[in-house]
Amino acid sequence: MDRSPPAPAFVVATHGRVNLIGEHTDYNDGFVMPMAIERGVRCAVRRRADGVLSLRSGGMGPEVVIDPAGPLLPGRSDWARYPLGVIAGYAARGFTIPGCDLAFSADLPAGGGLSSSAALEVAVATAIETLCGRSLDPVEKALLCQEAEHRFAGVPCGIMDQFAVTCCRPGHALLLDCRSRACRHVPLDDPGVTVMVIDSGVKHELASGEYARRRGDCRRAAARLGVGSLRDLGPDTWPSRAGELPDVERRRVAHVVGENARVEAFAASIDLGDFVRAGRIMVESHWSLARDYEVSCPEMDALVNAAIRVPGVLGCRMTGGGFGGCAVALVRTDEAPSATTAVCAAYRAATGRDGQAFVTVACGGPVVTPLPSTGAGDAIPPG
Ligand code: GLA
């Protein structure tokens, strides 16, 4: 009979993110301002002696078993490609991945634009670091997770999501300069204002193809203008160069240049407690994304139009990559409960669709909690 002590077990909790402003700017070396939200991913972890790495996730399909010492290559098409990509990244950096059980659960809508994949990646990264007893610098860790998404999921995302999930602090939004990777933690703790997330319930299949196409538009425009990235164009210099681009690229650049300026203006408004102005800037961002960047959709436009007419809502915009997913709103706290109901009712009246709204405070990065030993050594509680 095995009398070895029960293996230590722990739970990693990561948060999803909502981006307050700065959309489609991260891959243009610009500014973004996300915050971590109360929903996220939980990963229960337990070492095992046989060297096998097992991944389980309620509702996502059968258990996936990996040999962490074997070749860890892209090619999967299921949810396990995200954890696998992260495990491969740590193995490539010289970490010896021990056998373990990883059991996941989540309360983030998958594909809802709230970074469920980044929350999953960073949960796995944190689990590996905890198991191995050594950690990468948080910037390295976020970049490793981004690389996992590029190589193993084929999604050419920017750096915002993995940075937000890794680096956010409770009570703060993260103002990130995607070129220098400098972070400023902007206090978001005024009790009079709260953040509401509204899931449109719409997911358009074009999202990933169109995302890559937008990146291509930006790359071509930067090359035509002879700049390293669109970040190099400021609101002062851009107007004199606009005539050098064809119409579509001109509109893409107009959005990026305007959006970078909006992030800075939004952060300054939050610093000053001017939430009315902050809300107005969010709405400007939305229409720039809809008209110039063309990443919204009729349902999302209807949702934003409905939300900004609801008492207590100071501003609203689409958030994330676009083509459906979620909107984010700034709302007066005392009116938030009624606004939550009213926004969904107005959205339903406009589109016939059921949206889901919730309010959230700004949360922090990954949290590791040891699990009390049960003596059984093999029980992973459901997430
Ligand atoms: C997705 C990507 C991010 C970012 C946004 C758009 O969420 O993962 O890197 O580009 O779209 O702002």
Side-chain angles (χ1 to χ4, degrees):
M1 185 176 154
D2 181 7
R3 292 193 180 277
S4 57
F10 58 91
V11 173
V12 180
T14 53
H15 298 277
R17 67 96 188 96
V18 69
N19 188 21
L20 296 172
I21 197 151
E23 219 64 83
H24 290 276
T25 44
D26 61 351
Y27 53 81
N28 288 303
D29 278 353
F31 297 100
V32 295
M33 195 164 156
M35 64 172 231
I37 60 173
E38 283 167 75
R39 300 187 180 200
V41 168
R42 283 166 53 90
C43 174
V45 184
R46 193 204 52 191
R47 241 176 217 278
R48 47 194 278 174
D50 60 4
V52 164
L53 200 154
S54 147
L55 306 169
R56 281 185 290 134
S57 173
M60 298 291 276
E63 177 188 20
V64 174
V65 170
I66 292 169
D67 173 6
L72 301 165
L73 301 172
R76 297 190 76 95
S77 56
D78 60 357
W79 68 276
R81 64 195 192 274
Y82 298 98
L84 185 61
V86 173
I87 293 160
Y90 278 93
R93 283 162 182 78
F95 283 63
T96 305
I97 317 292
C100 55
D101 290 324
L102 304 182
F104 300 93
S105 62
D107 60 358
L108 277 174
L114 299 177
S115 290
S116 51
S117 50
L120 176 58
E121 291 150 12
V122 176
V124 174
T126 308
I128 293 173
E129 292 186 349
T130 309
L131 285 165
C132 294
R134 69 182 172 115
S135 301
L136 296 176
D137 168 81
V139 171
E140 271 280 295
K141 180 179 179 181
L143 291 172
L144 182 155
C145 291
Q146 181 201 23
E147 179 190 301
E149 186 135 349
H150 286 191
R151 289 191 54 227
F152 282 71
V155 179
C157 61
I159 63 170
M160 168 171 67
D161 303 347
Q162 291 78 8
F163 264 72
V165 176
T166 306
C167 301
C168 275
R169 289 193 188 154
H172 294 76
L174 179 74
L175 174 57
L176 173 66
D177 178 336
C178 298
R179 175 140 74 186
S180 68
R181 293 173 192 146
C183 294
R184 176 159 84 83
H185 296 275
V186 179
L188 202 67
D189 50 4
D190 187 311
V193 178
T194 193
V195 170
M196 186 185 355
V197 178
I198 313 127
D199 185 354
S200 69
V202 175
K203 277 176 216 159
H204 287 293
E205 283 311 318
L206 358 119
S208 57
E210 290 296 318
Y211 185 88
R213 206 160 295 150
R214 293 302 177 282
R215 286 196 74 142
D217 293 344
C218 292
R219 217 175 16 246
R220 271 193 311 281
R224 243 192 265 275
L225 295 171
V227 292
S229 77
L230 297 185
R231 163 70 176 277
D232 295 326
L233 298 164
D236 305 333
T237 47
W238 157 241
S240 64
R241 311 285 319 266
E244 297 171 40
L245 296 179
D247 176 59
V248 167
E249 285 172 28
R250 185 164 56 236
R251 288 188 290 120
R252 305 296 188 248
V253 179
H255 165 72
V256 173
V257 172
E259 187 77 351
N260 278 328
R262 279 188 287 274
V263 177
E264 293 190 288
F266 181 85
S269 307
I270 298 286
D271 285 336
L272 293 170
D274 188 347
F275 298 106
V276 171
R277 177 158 178 257
R280 237 183 265 134
I281 296 169
M282 290 172 85
V283 178
E284 283 170 21
S285 164
H286 180 78
W287 294 117
S288 173
L289 286 157
R291 294 177 184 141
D292 282 339
Y293 219 70
E294 296 179 284
V295 289
S296 187
C297 59
E299 298 89 341
M300 183 57 72
D301 291 347
L303 174 49
V304 170
N305 266 324
I308 58 178
R309 286 172 175 75
V310 166
V313 174
L314 300 165
C316 183
R317 55 181 288 278
M318 58 158 273
T319 186
F323 304 100
C326 291
V328 59
L330 267 191
V331 188
R332 290 194 197 284
T333 306
D334 51 357
E335 295 181 88
S338 55
T340 307
T341 314
V343 166
C344 292
Y347 177 55
R348 176 159 242 302
T351 63
R353 286 178 175 274
D354 286 322
Q356 281 195 15
F358 61 93
V359 296
T360 178
V361 297
C363 297
V367 176
V368 178
T369 313
L371 281 174
S373 165
T374 60
D378 59 357
I380 291 186

